[in-house]
Amino acid sequence: MREATVERNTRETQISITVALDGKGTAAIDTGIGFFDHMLTALSVHSGISMNIKVKGDLQVDCHHTIEDTGIALGQALGKALGSKAGIVRYGTAYIPMDESLAMASLDLSNRPFLVFNCDFTNQSCGGYDLCMTEEFFRAFAFNSGMTLHINLLYGSNDHHKAEAVYKAVAHALKTAVSENADGSTLSTKGVL
């Protein structure tokens, strides 16, 4: 089973994350930020990657360190669970509607981290989650897992729906990319990723 555990402890956050790529998308998430827990649960369930995430952060400051550091640790856990990335499909793209909103995510587990993020939100926050942190989370996640990630929010009016469409689009693209290919080969003209 492709699994990994990452612990990250700083003066701002204490994080423990375990991922199982071949799990059933079971989620046990506690970050102290209700809406973020909701988004990470969606990421787990829709990707099929089981995630156990426990975070204690300096929420008396704001949500920034908690969300960004969770992205760092989750990215590290994903990269560790993938190992050399041999035998995976590598690429994934998904369009996900959430009521009036539509988001697209396309990714490459290439060991060449990059983020393109084209999403506009109307409000500052959903609950205790600052919507500007969506980009920061996905940047940390992509760069620490070695992922090229493009996210485009095509349209929408409700910020909850827009954010949820984004997380679910990434989840479905990730589900395809981490799945094992037919012959176990490395999908690269170089022979390695």
Side-chain angles (χ1 to χ4, degrees):
M1 199 168 205
R2 301 175 297 165
E3 300 182 351
T5 297
V6 167
E7 303 273 342
R8 178 181 169 85
N9 294 298
T10 73
R11 291 180 183 170
E12 299 167 340
T13 57
Q14 294 79 51
I15 299 174
S16 175
I17 294 181
T18 299
V19 298
L21 303 187
D22 303 308
K24 299 190 187 310
T26 56
I29 314 287
D30 182 9
T31 67
I33 305 166
F35 187 78
F36 190 39
D37 292 353
H38 180 43
M39 295 299 98
L40 291 174
T41 299
L43 184 65
S44 175
V45 169
H46 285 267
S47 68
I49 299 172
S50 292
M51 298 181 189
N52 188 322
I53 300 175
K54 179 71 176 164
V55 183
K56 182 174 181 192
D58 57 354
L59 295 178
Q60 75 281 4
V61 175
D62 67 8
C63 65
H64 191 288
H65 301 139
T66 298
I67 294 172
E68 183 176 40
D69 287 9
T70 300
I72 291 169
L74 185 59
Q76 290 171 345
L78 176 64
K80 190 174 173 184
L82 285 167
S84 70
K85 300 180 181 172
I88 61 169
V89 171
R90 178 180 164 181
Y91 295 97
T93 298
Y95 285 83
I96 296 295
M98 182 73 185
D99 296 348
E100 84 298 340
S101 300
L102 181 66
M104 181 277 284
S106 189
L107 61 87
D108 175 11
L109 297 171
S110 62
N111 285 331
R112 291 191 309 278
F114 202 86
L115 176 68
V116 174
F117 187 86
N118 295 310
C119 304
D120 290 321
F121 297 102
T122 305
N123 298 298
Q124 179 180 334
S125 62
C126 281
Y129 175 94
D130 289 347
L131 289 159
C132 66
M133 289 307 300
T134 307
E135 182 173 5
E136 299 304 319
F137 169 78
F138 282 113
R139 179 178 291 109
F141 181 55
F143 276 70
N144 284 276
S145 62
M147 176 192 305
T148 296
L149 176 59
H150 292 246
I151 302 171
N152 291 288
L153 179 62
L154 301 167
Y155 48 80
S157 58
N158 180 295
D159 282 337
H160 183 130
H161 297 161
K162 291 190 285 188
E164 193 162 344
V166 163
Y167 275 86
K168 287 179 177 177
V170 172
H172 281 271
L174 193 56
K175 182 175 188 170
T176 300
V178 302
S179 63
E180 295 177 295
N181 64 27
D183 61 5
S185 64
T186 299
L187 186 59
S188 171
T189 55
K190 298 177 182 71
V192 296
L193 291 173

